[in-house]
Amino acid sequence: VPEHNAWAAIPLVAHRTVLGALALSFGDPAAVRPAQRPGMLALASQCAQALERALLYNDISLANERLEAALDAGRMGWWEWDPERDRVVWSPSLERIYGLEPGGFGGTYEEYLARVHPDDRDAVRQAIEQGLSGEGHEFEHRIVTPSGEVRWVDGRGRVLRRGDGETRIGGLSMDVTERKRNEQALRFLAEASDLLSQTLDYERTLQRLAELVVDRLADWCAVTVVEDGRLVDVAVAHSDPAKVALVRDLQERYPQDADALSGAPAVIRSGRTEYLPSIPDELLVAVSPDADVLQALRDLGLRSVITAPLTARGRTFGAISMVLAESGSNYQPGDVELAEDLAHRAALAIDNARLFRERSEIADILQASLLPPVLPAIPGFDVAARYLPGGGGVRVGGDFYDVFPTREGRWQIVIGDVCGKGAPAATLTGVARHTGRAAAMDDDSPLHLLRAINAALRRTDTAEDLRFCTAAIGLLEPGAPSRVTIARAGHPPPLLRRADGTVAELGSPGTLLGVYDDPELHPATAELASGDALVLYTDGVPDSWWNAGGEARLAETIQGLPGGAAAAEVAARIEESALAGRESGGDDIAILVLRAL
Amino acid sequence: VRRPEFSLTREEMDGAVVLHLAGELDLGAETAYRHEIDGTLTDGTLVLDLSDISFMDSTGLRLLLETDAHVRANGGRCVIVQGTGAVHRVIAQGLLESRLEVVERLEQVD
């Protein structure tokens, strides 16, 4: 520094780190004397300390900013509590979790407790106070933000005991609302799926589903479906049953308008979810046809609605509506996904139940068409039949029977069993039954009928590689005595129970039908006296006893019947006895009984 | 009474395939039976040893008739060992002794 006469430079050192240098210059060289050296060093030392503090402060505020950013990203905040002075400090990030502006937290323990959900408050207080005498606490609890939103917080506190005997407690809190919602949603969906899979009675299932929704997700739930072109609320649930009655009453007076612009009708038309985070009064005014309805709607205190479509196989046939009202909260966007997931599951369950119902109805109609709706009255005879489809959910079986008049007072008695089950068997059953009836018009001998059925089955194309049918046909000629001519084609023997209780097999074995072009058949004739009963059955009856000599058991059962038993009683007792031995999912059972009076 | 499970074992004997079947030949055995028979159908001799079958219903009978038809269509020979119980009864009832190649005991197969 040439224009000065004297100068000094002293390094600024703090904690062995050189932070800079202090340069001093003097106009008068005489002013710089060795004695001043300590003063200059002291000055430099103070400068170095000040500089270090400034740098450190800079670092700390940077670190603080970074910490806040990290806490925010993790939805976390820190806090510290001095119980002695009741001072609670929250980080701005924690204030944000509680829905507060920075500095919005008042800083006392009681204020913190006031923000805890009322239902969790006692437990929180207890956990914190217990933790204070130990290591600290760890818990999850709900909080309520100033806007009324409920959030879940995971809180952990550690007790810090300082040397001066003071106790502080500090820790981290994390917003776990999302995780809690997901957990609850998964649990709820699992429960709902379980419920939906329990029964095929879908009206009752939907009512229970609506109740489950009200228990977890809503103050209200309604399930609306299109039935015969009309909108029907098949299930309505509310936390307050009196309100259900109120709504039912409203619906009766004002049926849902299928063209309505909002609500279930609109969702069913569009197939798209409707989500109203809040319900302004103007909307109530817009949808109310008159002042009464408007008042009723206002009284319900509706706050937030999600209406999700019930869609299966590309068709929307209903909607599920969830409403929040008196509980005071509103649906969040995340709830929409849950509602849609639930609606999807419910729709599949309803669709399955409907398909099953339709299929059962078709099966019943089909089966009924294969059996005579009413047995004809044969003069001098008492006739009864029993038919029971096999288990395993297949309603159409292959068993059939028929009784019809031919000519000159003669009657044809038919029992048969087509191999297989379901629609293919039903087709063959139809062929067998109707061929028998048609053939009897030319020639009513059992031999002729069986041959005609064999030929018809041979000509019938089915999906099956091989199909066959067993049958026993009797030609009854009433008289004194009556005669019956029986021919069997692969069928178990009809039994004749004499009035004296003895039981005899009728007919001889013959080739089953549908497999060979030239069945070998051996008709046999027997006489029927008054009180004799002729019992025809399918193999489901003896097979019910499985491996224990079914034929013998059947004969015993028939033998044990009282002498004057009516045909209906004979049939019922055989069925009862067979069912006692049958396991679930057994074969069809058909029984036909004729008793000579 | 414990109902015997359906079981199936396979054996080669003098150039013929012998399937020993035991238990109940009904709907419950169909899948296992078909699975085995699909890999067994040849143009040689197939012996179905049914002497240990305790129960056979119309589904079981259909399986037999189908197997017999397939083997014959391939130019093979199908022999059924019917035993004296359940299978014999069903075969007799359908008058099938003259339609199928049926013997009572395995030793009778030549």
Side-chain angles (χ1 to χ4, degrees), chain A residues 240-589:
Chain A
D240 175 2
K243 295 222 166 154
V244 175
L246 181 68
V247 169
R248 286 275 186 209
D249 179 53
L250 260 182
Q251 281 168 345
E252 230 149 82
R253 284 191 289 149
Y254 302 93
Q256 297 224 47
D257 176 4
D259 298 324
L261 295 173
S262 175
V267 169
I268 292 170
R269 279 198 317 273
S270 71
R272 281 200 296 274
T273 303
E274 186 180 273
Y275 167 41
L276 301 174
S278 62
I279 300 177
D281 193 58
E282 303 88 76
L283 182 66
L284 298 184
V285 174
V287 300
S288 301
D290 60 38
D292 280 358
V293 176
L294 180 60
Q295 192 52 49
L297 287 178
R298 279 180 177 154
D299 290 347
L300 290 173
L302 311 176
R303 286 180 65 104
S304 186
V305 182
I306 301 174
T307 306
L310 296 170
T311 304
R313 290 183 294 151
R315 197 173 61 89
T316 300
F317 56 84
I320 181 163
S321 310
M322 304 174 190
V323 181
L324 285 174
E326 46 272 80
S327 63
S329 46
N330 292 55
Y331 285 120
Q332 307 297 315
D335 295 323
V336 175
E337 211 177 308
L338 178 60
E340 286 177 338
D341 199 334
L342 176 72
H344 177 64
R345 289 166 200 237
L348 288 181
I350 296 170
D351 192 48
N352 280 343
R354 283 183 161 180
L355 279 178
F356 185 81
R357 188 179 292 185
E358 276 169 31
R359 209 187 68 181
S360 302
E361 280 168 6
I362 291 169
D364 287 348
I365 291 166
L366 188 56
Q367 184 62 59
S369 77
L370 299 175
L371 299 174
V374 184
L375 285 175
I378 304 179
F381 282 85
D382 173 21
V383 189
R386 306 286 292 185
Y387 172 77
L388 232 114
V394 184
R395 307 275 285 257
V396 182
D399 286 7
F400 64 99
Y401 60 83
D402 204 359
V403 177
F404 57 93
T406 57
R407 64 188 74 139
E408 294 151 30
R410 295 198 293 261
W411 293 79
Q412 208 67 250
I413 298 145
V414 179
I415 194 152
D417 180 1
V418 167
C419 166
K421 276 186 180 7
T427 309
L428 290 176
T429 306
V431 169
R433 179 170 179 231
H434 298 295
T435 302
R437 282 200 168 221
M441 287 194 270
D442 305 327
D443 174 352
D444 62 4
S445 75
L447 194 63
H448 175 67
L449 264 64
L450 289 173
R451 282 183 178 152
I453 292 170
N454 186 63
L457 292 177
R458 297 285 293 150
R459 285 195 302 270
T460 306
D461 286 323
T462 66
E464 311 284 342
D465 242 11
L466 186 141
R467 63 271 187 246
F468 59 84
C469 162
T470 71
I473 297 187
L475 177 66
L476 177 69
E477 298 169 77
S482 299
R483 284 153 46 91
V484 64
T485 303
I486 298 264
R488 287 160 53 190
H491 205 80
L495 298 174
L496 180 58
R497 182 192 191 274
R498 296 287 181 198
D500 64 6
T502 54
V503 176
E505 292 187 357
L506 293 187
S508 307
T511 315
L512 45 79
L513 307 176
V515 184
Y516 307 104
D517 286 327
D518 52 344
E520 205 182 314
L521 302 162
H522 305 285
T525 301
E527 287 186 354
L528 289 176
S530 172
D532 290 353
L534 177 63
V535 177
L536 298 96
Y537 56 91
T538 54
D539 63 4
V541 176
D543 285 357
S544 290
W545 283 282
W546 167 66
N547 197 18
E551 287 78 12
R553 299 284 285 269
L554 176 61
E556 271 168 42
T557 302
I558 295 172
Q559 218 158 6
L561 289 170
E569 196 192 336
V570 174
R573 290 286 290 275
I574 295 170
E575 181 188 277
E576 191 184 305
S577 178
L579 283 185
R582 178 159 106 160
E583 298 189 342
S584 63
D587 202 357
D588 309 1
I589 284 178

Side-chain angles (χ1 to χ4, degrees), chain A residues 95-349:
Chain A
E95 288 177 322
R96 272 191 289 279
I97 290 172
Y98 277 73
L100 300 171
E101 295 295 315
F105 177 59
T108 65
Y109 179 52
E110 284 307 316
E111 192 191 331
Y112 157 66
L113 283 178
R115 296 180 188 281
V116 172
H117 193 285
D119 294 350
D120 294 351
R121 207 168 286 151
D122 284 345
V124 164
R125 193 197 302 269
Q126 208 179 345
I128 289 178
E129 278 158 26
Q130 259 175 16
L132 213 48
S133 52
E135 294 284 300
H137 64 257
E138 250 185 67
F139 51 53
E140 286 183 350
H141 66 78
R142 284 166 294 174
I143 59 166
V144 183
T145 69
S147 69
E149 192 194 335
V150 174
R151 288 184 188 165
W152 277 91
V153 168
D154 172 305
R156 285 149 202 239
R158 288 288 169 272
V159 175
L160 315 163
R161 291 193 177 79
R162 306 204 309 196
D164 54 14
E166 282 194 28
T167 297
R168 295 282 171 85
I169 173 162
L172 278 179
S173 287
M174 195 194 299
D175 180 352
V176 292
T177 311
E178 192 95 340
R179 196 196 78 209
K180 277 282 175 187
R181 285 222 177 102
N182 286 342
E183 280 172 12
Q184 283 172 338
L186 285 176
R187 229 183 357 253
F188 170 75
L189 286 174
E191 254 178 277
S193 295
D194 193 34
L195 197 155
L196 287 169
S197 66
Q198 275 171 15
T199 162
L200 287 164
D201 176 356
Y202 77 90
E203 280 93 350
R204 216 181 65 209
T205 304
L206 289 179
Q207 184 58 38
R208 287 172 56 198
L209 181 72
E211 282 157 15
L212 182 68
V213 168
V214 163
D215 198 39
R216 304 294 162 77
L217 288 180
D219 294 314
W220 271 106
C221 179
V223 184
T224 311
V225 299
V226 183
E227 273 178 8
D228 302 325
R230 289 182 313 116
L231 296 181
V232 183
D233 281 324
V234 289
V236 177
H238 190 282
S239 38
D240 175 2
K243 295 222 166 154
V244 175
L246 181 68
V247 169
R248 286 275 186 209
D249 179 53
L250 260 182
Q251 281 168 345
E252 230 149 82
R253 284 191 289 149
Y254 302 93
Q256 297 224 47
D257 176 4
D259 298 324
L261 295 173
S262 175
V267 169
I268 292 170
R269 279 198 317 273
S270 71
R272 281 200 296 274
T273 303
E274 186 180 273
Y275 167 41
L276 301 174
S278 62
I279 300 177
D281 193 58
E282 303 88 76
L283 182 66
L284 298 184
V285 174
V287 300
S288 301
D290 60 38
D292 280 358
V293 176
L294 180 60
Q295 192 52 49
L297 287 178
R298 279 180 177 154
D299 290 347
L300 290 173
L302 311 176
R303 286 180 65 104
S304 186
V305 182
I306 301 174
T307 306
L310 296 170
T311 304
R313 290 183 294 151
R315 197 173 61 89
T316 300
F317 56 84
I320 181 163
S321 310
M322 304 174 190
V323 181
L324 285 174
E326 46 272 80
S327 63
S329 46
N330 292 55
Y331 285 120
Q332 307 297 315
D335 295 323
V336 175
E337 211 177 308
L338 178 60
E340 286 177 338
D341 199 334
L342 176 72
H344 177 64
R345 289 166 200 237
L348 288 181

